[in-house]
Amino acid sequence: MTGISLKLFTTWTELQAVKDGTSTMMIAYTADKKPKEAVHEIIVALDGCEVTDKEVRVNVSVIKRDVNELGEMMGKAIGAKLEEVLSKLA
């Protein structure tokens, strides 16, 4: 992951389509290119985006996958540390 985040704007329709599962790709816009109906601000990782001239396509599946991988790594690290601490107490 690059660690770069983008501040974008999207419409209610795009948010609903992703939320209800009918779409895994959300169309969003930078502040200077957004249409007036794109009033919902989102912050997304650059890694999950395809940038075009007028819009940014946010691939929600890629973002979910990356978050799941990160969660798994964090869980393993925390679990290992807990085992280390508990073994010292025993």
Side-chain angles (χ1 to χ4, degrees):
M1 291 184 74
T2 63
I4 298 172
S5 296
L6 301 174
K7 178 180 173 181
L8 302 170
F9 297 87
T10 192
T11 64
W12 180 252
T13 305
E14 291 289 333
L15 289 172
Q16 276 303 120
V18 168
K19 186 174 191 256
D20 66 19
T22 58
S23 178
T24 60
M25 190 72 77
M26 180 180 2
I27 304 301
Y29 307 90
T30 57
D32 61 329
K33 303 220 186 227
K34 71 177 184 145
K36 64 180 177 181
E37 62 273 3
V39 296
H40 302 283
E41 183 180 319
I42 59 173
I43 297 177
V44 296
L46 176 62
D47 304 287
C49 298
E50 297 172 24
V51 181
T52 67
D53 283 345
K54 297 182 181 181
E55 63 190 29
V56 178
R57 295 184 182 120
V58 180
N59 189 330
V60 178
S61 296
V62 169
I63 293 172
K64 283 182 180 179
R65 182 200 67 212
D66 290 350
V67 167
N68 286 336
E69 288 175 4
L70 180 60
E72 186 178 332
M73 287 190 301
M74 288 176 58
K76 286 179 182 178
I78 291 169
K81 194 65 173 174
L82 280 173
E83 284 183 22
E84 179 185 324
V85 169
L86 291 174
S87 68
K88 290 179 181 178
L89 292 174

